[in-house]
């Protein structure tokens, strides 16, 4: 008799298989909650559900937890933020199992930044606490995404007590795993390093400039030694004067050559004249001697 009547008692449903769609509203991009269809709210009203409502999401053995934003999704569908879909390796149209859960409040939470530039913010703990207001629950192993100053930061939940917990009213200090963090540099050390690098760069530049000036001066001296006329043209090189005309080096050489040839001709003429005079004198002497005889 009892079994017969129990068949007419509505069963309390706390799990649903729903198809996944992505939340496209950028306002909810980094939220830790989802949209569910209205029938789930009606079914939860038949049990003593604890608010705020928390649900587990399961796909191929991967499990995480989230809250709910609104019960406005189309029947048979649930809407998830992109980071949550990536967490469970879900694509739009895949089926995910969603179950109502009553979780304990978190007693310890430790995060490990995927990008350690997050720790270089002015006060990363305050930033994280503010962003976690968009989350209802966490699961150990989650990689959540928060946005600060138009930049996304990923943080892994490396330790959570218990391993799945509600954080809505959690009174715990957030901790950061620094085991793999790069060595920190104080602002004073960074400033000193920058000054040293700047000084080194300036010294190197000055040395290069001095070396270049010395080389140029040496080239000028060598040019002046090789071509005595270069002093006439000042700093201009290549045999060009201020008016742009070529230096008359070829003409000068030709003139010198002609002068040399002229000198040689004069010398030869003088020698020939001397020889002629000597010959004439000798001949006259011979004639006089013959007449005397």
């Amino acid at each position: 008799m009892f079994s017969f009547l129990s068949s007419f008692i509505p069963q309390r449903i706390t799990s649903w298989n729903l198809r996944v769609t992505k939340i496209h509203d950028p306002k909810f991009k980094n939220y830790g909650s989802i949209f569910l269809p209205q029938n789930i709210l009606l079914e939860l009203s038949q049990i003593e559900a604890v608010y705020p409502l928390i649900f587990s999401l399961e796909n191929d053995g991967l499990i995480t937890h989230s809250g709910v934003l609104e019960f406005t999704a189309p029947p048979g569908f649930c809407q998830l933020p992109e980071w949550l879909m990536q967490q469970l390796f879900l694509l739009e149209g895949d089926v995910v199992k969603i179950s109502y859960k009553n979780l304990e409040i978190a007693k310890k939470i430790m995060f490990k930044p995927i990008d350690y530039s997050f720790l270089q913010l002015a006060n990363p703990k305050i930033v994280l606490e503010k962003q976690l207001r968009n989350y209802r629950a966490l699961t150990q192993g989650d990689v959540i995404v928060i946005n600060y100053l138009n930049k996304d930061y990923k943080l892994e939940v490396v330790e959570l007590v218990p391993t799945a917990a509600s954080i809505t009213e959690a009174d715990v200090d957030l901790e950061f795993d620094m085991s793999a963090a790069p060595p920190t540099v104080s602002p004073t050390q960074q400033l000193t390093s920058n000054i040293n690098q700047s000084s080194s760069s300036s010294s190197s530049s000055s040395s290069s400039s001095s070396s270049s000036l010395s080389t140029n001066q040496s080239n000028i001296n060598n040019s002046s030694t090789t071509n005595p006329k270069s002093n006439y043209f000042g700093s201009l090189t290549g045999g060009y004067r201020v008016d742009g005309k070529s230096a008359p080096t070829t003409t000068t050489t030709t003139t010198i050559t002609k002068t040399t040839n002229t000198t040689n001709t004069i010398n030869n003429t003088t020698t020939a004249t001397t020889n002629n005079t000597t010959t004439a004198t000798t001949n006259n002497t011979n004639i006089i001697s013959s007449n005397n005889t």
Side-chain angles (χ1 to χ4, degrees):
M1 183 67 178
F2 178 77
S3 60
F4 174 77
L5 294 176
S6 63
S7 61
F8 292 95
I9 299 176
Q11 297 295 319
R12 295 181 176 180
I13 302 175
T14 57
S15 295
W16 305 265
N17 292 323
L18 303 174
R19 290 199 176 274
V20 175
T21 59
K22 184 172 69 174
I23 297 176
H24 295 285
D25 190 338
K27 180 173 63 175
F28 304 116
K29 174 184 176 182
N30 297 317
Y31 272 56
S33 298
I34 62 177
F35 289 86
L36 294 173
Q38 189 175 10
N39 67 288
I40 293 181
L41 178 60
L42 296 176
E43 292 170 2
L44 287 175
S45 64
Q46 300 176 8
I47 65 174
E48 296 179 357
V50 178
Y51 290 81
L53 298 173
I54 296 176
F55 298 87
S56 67
L57 294 83
E58 182 177 355
N59 178 52
D60 290 337
L62 299 174
I63 300 176
T64 188
H65 296 80
S66 75
V68 59
L69 284 168
E70 296 177 355
F71 292 91
T72 56
F77 287 85
C78 64
Q79 297 175 335
L80 278 61
E82 185 175 5
W83 77 266
L84 198 51
M85 293 175 61
Q86 294 176 352
Q87 183 74 30
L88 297 174
F89 294 95
L90 289 169
L91 299 175
E92 289 196 87
D94 289 346
V95 176
V96 62
K97 181 180 179 181
I98 295 180
S99 304
Y100 164 76
K101 297 293 181 180
N102 183 12
L103 300 179
E104 298 181 27
I105 296 176
K107 300 178 176 64
K108 181 179 181 179
I109 309 175
M110 180 179 290
F111 291 92
K112 178 181 179 180
I114 304 300
D115 182 359
Y116 278 95
S117 63
F118 176 76
L119 297 177
Q120 298 175 355
L121 298 177
N123 197 329
K125 183 177 288 188
I126 298 298
V127 173
L128 181 56
E129 288 176 351
K130 183 177 180 180
Q131 295 292 324
L132 286 178
R133 296 173 187 172
N134 299 325
Y135 290 76
R136 294 289 179 262
L138 291 174
T139 307
Q140 185 168 299
D142 280 350
V143 178
I144 67 172
V145 181
I146 66 173
N147 184 276
Y148 182 69
L149 297 179
N150 297 322
K151 181 178 180 180
D152 287 339
Y153 296 92
K154 293 183 177 181
L155 297 96
E156 180 183 359
V157 182
V158 293
E159 186 176 356
L160 181 66
V161 180
T163 55
S166 169
I167 63 170
T168 302
E169 299 178 358
D171 186 16
V172 295
D173 287 333
L174 301 179
E175 301 178 30
F176 293 103
D177 180 8
M178 306 294 292
S179 59
T184 58
V185 179
S186 66
T188 304
Q189 292 175 330
Q190 183 65 39
L191 179 61
T192 303
S193 176
N194 292 340
I195 292 174
N196 290 337
Q197 291 179 1
S198 178
S199 299
S200 176
S201 177
S202 299
S203 299
S204 176
S205 177
S206 299
S207 299
S208 299
S209 299
S210 300
S211 176
S212 178
L213 290 173
S214 299
T215 303
N216 291 337
Q217 186 62 40
S218 177
N219 292 336
I220 292 173
N221 293 337
N222 292 336
S223 176
S224 299
T225 304
T226 305
N227 184 11
K229 295 290 182 179
S230 62
N231 291 331
Y232 170 76
F233 301 110
S235 60
L236 297 176
T237 58
Y240 290 94
R241 303 182 303 185
V242 176
D243 58 5
K245 297 182 179 180
S246 301
T249 52
T250 305
T251 303
T252 302
T253 302
T254 304
T255 301
I256 292 173
T257 303
K258 288 182 178 181
T259 302
T260 303
N261 292 336
T262 301
T263 302
N264 292 334
T265 302
I266 293 172
N267 291 336
N268 292 334
T269 302
T270 303
T271 303
T273 302
T274 303
N275 291 335
N276 290 335
T277 302
T278 304
T279 302
T281 303
T282 303
N283 291 333
N284 290 333
T285 303
N286 292 333
I287 292 172
I288 293 172
S289 299
S290 176
N291 291 330
N292 293 330
T293 304

